[in-house]
Each structure stands twice: as structure tokens, then as C-alpha cells.
Amino acid sequence: MTARARIAVLDYGIGNLRSAEKALQHVGAAARLVTDAASVEAADAVVLPGVGAFGACARALRDSGLEEPARAALAAGVPFFGVCVGFQLLYEDSVESPGAQGLGVFAGTVGRLPPGVKHPQMQWNTLDVRGAGEPAPLRGLGPHPWVYFVHSFAPPVGDETVAVCDYGGPVAALVTRGSLWGAQFHPEKSGAAGLALLANFVDAAAA
């Protein structure tokens, strides 16, 4: 793993962005918070964090001027990782915030977690891989790694979903499409497994 993959953590004023930056630095990346298009364009990879409400995050990303650089990175196939609400923003919209538009990379509407379970899911839970093989984000993590979730909404399970968690039924937890990754859980809060996943992303960025 190269120690100097340049990773732009999009700083659009939402959530504890510093924790994502520090976790990436811990696994060897030259990660930094960025607020301008030129810094996004110069990066080897992009991370879109997010906490709170879908609509507030979508609006903040747009108002910050970082939505178009994020779209350009996605279109160019730059390694890109959406985390928590940043993951949800990869979809079209959300029942949480009617009228708010996501980036629409993946089809579907982010929905509420199943009934009959506590909202939010605020706990450690295991990932269950869908399909054959080991997804790139989970390389070396074992068949059922434990990760930490804090959320009340999640995207639908689709062809892009490579791992789910069981929370009142299967809940989309991890997606990939080429160099694009998305995680509903918080890698930076998920101990050794989360750091190993981030190290896999840094490897992808360096490649």
C-alpha cells in the first residue's frame, strides 16, 4: 500500500468530517478536508461523508459548490466512497426528505428501516455478503465482519448491493460499482474492521 494516496474528504459543513479524515490518515493516506473544486480534481480518490437528514445533506452539498466536482469525479471513474448519508446521496431521493434530490448514481429511493425494530439502528451488526466471492471493500475482513451503524433510513437492496445486515430483514449496508463504494455503516467507528476496509479503499486509490 502506498502511503501517499491523495484522498479528498468533501467538507460541506455536515457532521464530524474530521474523524473520517483522521481515520484515512491513520491507514496511510494523504487525506485532507477540501472545500474547492480544484482540490477535488487533484485527488486520487474522493470520500463523501454525511450525517443527519438526507435533505439537509443534499442542500449543503449543493450550496457548498462541491456537488458538481463530486459528479465530475463519479463520471470520470475516480475511486469514490460515500459513507452513511453520503452513501444515501448516491441514490435518487429519500422518503425522509420529499423533494430533495440525491446524485442519482444508483436507481431507487432511500426508505425507512423495517417496522418492528428500534429506530435508529444504533449498534454493532454483522455484514452478510451477497453473491459469490469477496467484495473488494471486505478483502481480508472475514465472512461476517462487525461494523457500527447509526441510521433510520437505508437504500433498497439492488444489484449493486454486495453486503447486507439483518435488522428486521436484509438492509443494504455496502455497495460497489467499479471504483465506486458506498457504506451505510461508519468505517471510522468500526474498530479494526473499519480501518481494514478504509485501507482497502486507500489501496484502490493508489492503484
Side-chain angles (χ1 to χ4, degrees), residues 102-178:
L103 297 171
V105 182
F106 298 122
T109 296
V110 176
R112 191 174 295 276
L113 289 175
V117 291
K118 184 179 179 182
H119 291 195
Q121 176 180 205
M122 188 181 298
Q123 64 173 24
W124 292 82
N125 205 339
T126 56
L127 298 180
D128 299 315
V129 173
R130 300 178 75 235
E134 183 180 51
L138 301 181
R139 189 177 67 249
L141 272 69
H144 301 288
W146 287 88
V147 293
Y148 191 74
F149 292 85
V150 183
H151 67 121
S152 295
F153 299 85
V157 175
D159 291 342
E160 70 279 4
T161 310
V162 295
V164 298
C165 68
D166 182 8
Y167 196 69
V171 173
L174 184 68
V175 304
T176 63
R177 178 184 289 170

Side-chain angles (χ1 to χ4, degrees), residues 15-40:
N16 184 12
L17 304 173
R18 188 73 65 184
S19 62
E21 178 194 39
K22 288 187 177 300
L24 287 159
Q25 290 171 350
H26 182 77
V27 296
R32 65 188 185 96
L33 302 179
V34 303
T35 57
D36 62 284
S39 296
V40 179

